[in-house]
Amino acid sequence: MQKERHILVVFPHPDDEAFGVSGTIASHVQNGTPVTYACLTLGEMGRNLGNPPFATRESLPKIRKKELMDSAKALGIQDLRMLGFRDKTVEFVDEKSLADLIYGMILELNPSLVISFYPGYSVHPDHDATGRAVVQAVERLTKPLRPKLYCVAFSNNCEKELGNPDVIVDVSSVTEQKLAAIRAHRTQTALFYDDLSKKLAKNDPDALKWLQYERFWTYKWND
Amino acid sequence: MQPIDKRVVQNCLDALSKKDVYIHLETTNGAYASHKDESFLNASTFIRNAKIQFSLGKVTGDGPFRIGLKLNEGWVYGEGLTHFEIDEMGRLLMAGLNAKGQLAIAFELSEIPFDS
């Protein structure tokens, strides 16, 4: 794994960093690279309130904020930024202002790697809107000055249209941290975690592969 | 939240009638519904902090429950409500939770605006 100067991760929801990226984050942290995680919302509109319910629509953001902080701690992220947008509304905010905000962080932190969602291939409208704003922000730098931009994609058509992911990160040395990050987001991940644990206990090859390897697409610039 | 007690909810609705109240009303089937099943039409909606006044509010059904509020010039309606809580701020928070505990509808009334 190449040593990075600073990594900026930008996602809209608490728990977006836990799936498919947490191992990469933990590996870089272990390698001594500072990581900033900018999380746009507090996941106010999450559907999982526990069973039996221990949250309400109104108490959920406070709970998810705490879970986000626990996940960041599990991964060793020292710079966690909560940007105060509202779940489900990211695509409706002024796109230029959002890109300005991200551009400001890029200038401040001078990251050599930025990680976000691949716009158009990330299913949730908040994911795609976040990815679009990140692309817009990075694009403002002239090509030689741009940090690398690794994108997460998981829409049903992503491999057909983007090809195979070109970055595969082996995170097998930090699977404990990855599992701890997933566990930290209890309100959202309890069902998923139980299911994953059962599969891992049976050495299910797909679950092991999912745990040990993370995949990204380097953003394809038009210029 | 706990399973809806119709009598408590009805008392609460009676107490809020003819007052200015803020409503949060939402239905959702989850952002990933049509990702998992492409033939599924993903529809959801929410409105938060609309100010309304109702002359009569009723909770009906045997569970899941329905709520109807008669406005001066219209109606508010919700179906599929299963759970409720009157929180520490005196707000009436109701939700319809499916068998996995996931929220399908939220119907909330408060005399003070909800956090934006």
Side-chain angles (χ1 to χ4, degrees), chain A residues 47-48 51 57-58 156, chain B residues 26 35 38 48 103 108:
Chain A
R47 303 176 73 208
N48 295 304
N51 196 12
R57 203 11 113 241
E58 299 308 314
N156 293 329
Chain B
E26 167 190 357
H35 172 64
E38 290 188 7
R48 187 166 177 85
L103 182 144
E108 306 180 334

Side-chain angles (χ1 to χ4, degrees), chain B residues 53-56 68-77:
Chain B
Q53 209 181 85
F54 57 92
S55 54
L56 183 63
L69 307 177
K70 172 80 181 77
L71 310 183
N72 290 337
E73 296 180 80
W75 288 92
V76 174
Y77 170 85

Side-chain angles (χ1 to χ4, degrees), chain A residues 13 15-16 44-59 61-62 84-89 117 122-125 127 154-157 191, chain B residues 1-2 24 26-32 34-36 38 44-46 48 83 85 87-88 91 93 95 97-104 106 108 114-116:
Chain A
H13 309 123
D15 84 2
D16 285 337
E44 291 88 349
M45 304 297 270
R47 303 176 73 208
N48 295 304
L49 302 180
N51 196 12
F54 56 81
T56 67
R57 203 11 113 241
E58 299 308 314
S59 67
K62 291 183 197 92
F85 292 87
R86 190 177 174 82
D87 196 4
K88 275 195 168 168
T89 66
F117 281 114
S122 302
V123 183
H124 193 301
H127 295 173
F154 64 103
S155 63
N156 293 329
N157 63 348
L191 297 172
Chain B
M1 282 189 291
Q2 51 179 295
H24 171 99
E26 167 190 357
T27 65
T28 178
N29 38 47
Y32 298 103
S34 56
H35 172 64
K36 290 174 186 151
E38 290 188 7
S44 67
T45 185
F46 83 94
R48 187 166 177 85
H83 287 72
E85 178 174 316
D87 76 355
E88 70 285 357
R91 305 180 293 194
L93 310 179
L97 306 177
N98 69 16
K100 291 178 184 167
Q102 294 168 313
L103 182 144
E108 306 180 334
F114 295 98
D115 293 342
S116 60

Side-chain angles (χ1 to χ4, degrees), chain A:
Chain A
M1 195 175 65
Q2 204 184 329
K3 168 96 174 138
E4 300 294 343
R5 188 169 57 231
H6 193 120
I7 298 172
L8 172 62
V9 181
V10 189
F11 290 129
H13 309 123
D15 84 2
D16 285 337
E17 87 292 348
F19 297 101
V21 189
S22 50
T24 304
I25 294 174
S27 303
H28 282 285
V29 168
Q30 211 166 57
N31 217 357
T33 305
V35 176
T36 297
Y37 176 28
C39 188
L40 270 61
T41 81
L42 291 177
E44 291 88 349
M45 304 297 270
R47 303 176 73 208
N48 295 304
L49 302 180
N51 196 12
F54 56 81
T56 67
R57 203 11 113 241
E58 299 308 314
S59 67
L60 188 66
K62 291 183 197 92
I63 294 169
R64 294 198 69 183
K65 182 178 180 177
K66 172 73 170 52
E67 293 174 347
L68 175 62
M69 291 162 73
D70 290 347
S71 168
K73 197 172 166 195
L75 297 176
I77 296 171
Q78 289 169 333
D79 184 19
L80 169 65
R81 303 187 184 189
M82 295 177 258
L83 299 188
F85 292 87
R86 190 177 174 82
D87 196 4
K88 275 195 168 168
T89 66
V90 179
E91 64 179 325
F92 304 111
V93 304
D94 177 52
E95 201 162 313
K96 187 181 167 296
S97 317
L98 182 55
D100 286 347
L101 190 66
I102 296 162
Y103 183 64
M105 289 193 286
I106 292 172
L107 294 186
E108 177 201 337
L109 304 164
N110 190 25
S112 54
L113 171 64
V114 176
I115 301 177
S116 188
F117 281 114
Y118 211 115
Y121 298 96
S122 302
V123 183
H124 193 301
D126 283 348
H127 295 173
D128 285 330
T130 302
R132 275 200 303 276
V134 168
V135 165
Q136 247 190 53
V138 176
E139 205 167 25
R140 291 184 194 175
L141 298 166
T142 57
K143 222 171 173 183
L145 292 176
R146 281 178 202 160
K148 283 175 291 187
L149 177 51
Y150 289 177
C151 298
V152 173
F154 64 103
S155 63
N156 293 329
N157 63 348
C158 68
E159 296 203 19
K160 197 172 151 218
E161 294 187 17
L162 294 172
N164 291 324
D166 60 319
V167 178
I168 310 285
V169 183
D170 180 349
V171 300
S172 39
S173 68
V174 290
T175 51
E176 279 312 309
Q177 286 96 316
K178 180 169 177 167
L179 290 169
I182 294 168
R183 255 193 328 263
H185 294 284
R186 314 172 264 289
T187 48
Q188 302 301 310
T189 57
L191 297 172
F192 174 86
Y193 187 82
D194 290 347
D195 186 48
L196 178 69
S197 305
K198 277 179 207 145
K199 285 180 180 161
L200 290 174
K202 282 188 232 154
N203 284 320
D204 177 275
D206 287 337
L208 281 168
K209 196 174 151 198
W210 183 87
L211 182 67
Q212 292 170 348
Y213 295 94
E214 295 181 348
R215 10 179 280 161
F216 303 94
W217 281 262
T218 303
Y219 186 75
K220 294 184 182 80
W221 299 102
N222 288 323
D223 55 352

